[in-house]
Amino acid sequence: MRIVLVGPPGAGKGTQAAYLAKNLAIPHISTGDLFRANISQGTPLGVEAKSYMDAGNLVPDSVTIGMAEDRMEQADAADGFLLDGFPRNLGQAEALDAYLERKGLTLDAVLDLEVPEDEVVKRIAGRRICRKDSSHVFHVEYNKPAAEGVCDACGGELYQREDDREETVRKRLEVYHSETEPIIDYYKAQDLVVTIPALGKVAEVTQRAMHALGRGE
Ligand code: ADP
Ligand code: AMP
């Protein structure tokens, strides 16, 4: 299956992607995680991306599209993938369609995680991620690690993302509404969008998403 996850920052895309990718046996591809891995390794791509990310802006398409395509080219993505945080504007959605067309592939679904803005703000304020692997995501209240400040999955140190501070979050939400939301209509025109109410327990949301994909119990 080839699936795109959309939704505002803090909607729970990364959290859901981890479970969905496991259930569907496809890789979870998060452009945010790829950028953070580049930042922690100090690559030129990471250096370039960091200034945009810290300001709450999108990293330019000239950098992002190539990085996402390179990841989709890897062997583990040959039979499908779950995209999280890509595409994030119309240019990227068109580039993804062009890429899939070149490969003779299509998307199966676009899952739109719907969460009210006040909840998103609470989720982001308490989010803590792992220094070793930013796809390991926790929340100080809603999804606590067994030991405070320590990643359950790998023992890494948990920290608050620079761009999860209040001022930057406001900017990221603006960018979501102006640049990312239009892709939902773009995919509605292709009849691919399934809206998933994303309030409630993590496992309940996963169940709704699996059901929407025709893989529910
Ligand atoms: P996104 O990838 O969309 O930015 P995350 O998956 O990182 O969002 O989730 C944002 C925060 O909300 C994290 O701290 C996560 O633990 C928490 N979270 C995710 N899903 C839920 C949920 N269903 N209920 C409460 N908190 C959640
Ligand atoms: P995320 O981890 O998905 O919340 O993304 C964190 C930040 O990485 C975003 O605020 C952007 O600055 C950058 N980013 C992630 N994915 C993309 C993308 N597809 N296009 C542009 N910037 C992105």
Side-chain angles (χ1 to χ4, degrees):
M1 283 194 128
R2 291 179 182 81
I3 299 163
V4 170
L5 273 182
V6 291
K13 298 182 296 296
T15 302
Q16 289 305 322
Y19 292 103
L20 295 173
K22 202 170 162 211
N23 289 351
L24 299 166
I26 49 177
H28 165 204
I29 300 181
S30 154
T31 39
D33 287 340
L34 292 172
F35 285 132
R36 281 184 289 275
N38 274 279
I39 291 171
S40 61
Q41 289 156 17
T43 69
L45 191 149
V47 171
E48 183 174 0
K50 189 174 188 320
S51 57
Y52 295 98
M53 291 169 75
D54 286 350
N57 287 313
L58 296 187
V59 179
D61 289 355
S62 54
V63 175
T64 306
I65 292 167
M67 180 184 74
E69 288 187 0
D70 285 350
R71 180 64 188 85
M72 290 185 286
E73 283 297 302
Q74 288 177 25
D76 65 342
D79 294 328
F81 46 71
L82 179 57
L83 294 175
D84 157 14
F86 180 87
R88 234 179 173 99
N89 61 24
L90 284 174
Q92 293 178 13
E94 284 162 4
L96 174 61
D97 272 351
Y99 169 82
L100 292 170
E101 202 178 318
R102 285 199 299 278
K103 301 271 163 189
L105 302 171
T106 51
L107 289 176
D108 294 286
V110 174
L111 302 183
D112 175 18
L113 297 189
E114 207 172 53
V115 185
E117 198 138 307
D118 57 341
E119 173 70 11
V120 153
V121 169
K122 283 190 237 164
R123 287 187 184 182
I124 294 179
R127 170 161 57 191
R128 299 293 182 270
I129 66 166
C130 176
R131 252 203 224 282
K132 284 196 197 159
D133 181 338
S134 76
S135 72
H136 301 157
V137 183
F138 299 86
H139 191 283
V140 292
E141 234 180 290
Y142 309 143
N143 183 16
K144 288 185 185 179
E148 195 186 324
V150 182
C151 177
D152 284 350
C154 71
E157 179 206 358
L158 300 182
Y159 74 105
Q160 180 168 40
R161 279 167 50 173
E162 189 76 30
D163 60 346
D164 277 351
R165 289 162 205 246
E166 206 183 323
E167 323 79 73
T168 319
V169 169
R170 236 174 288 128
K171 173 70 185 170
R172 285 163 62 209
L173 286 168
E174 264 173 47
V175 168
Y176 177 74
H177 292 308
S178 62
E179 299 195 44
T180 307
E181 258 177 359
I183 73 170
I184 297 173
D185 279 339
Y186 175 87
Y187 284 127
K188 275 187 179 159
Q190 299 184 24
D191 210 15
L192 285 170
V193 177
V194 187
T195 303
I196 311 286
L199 274 180
K201 292 203 177 111
V202 170
E204 288 167 0
V205 180
T206 308
Q207 252 180 6
R208 284 176 212 146
M210 288 298 288
H211 187 76
L213 294 170
R215 302 291 184 95
E217 276 129 42

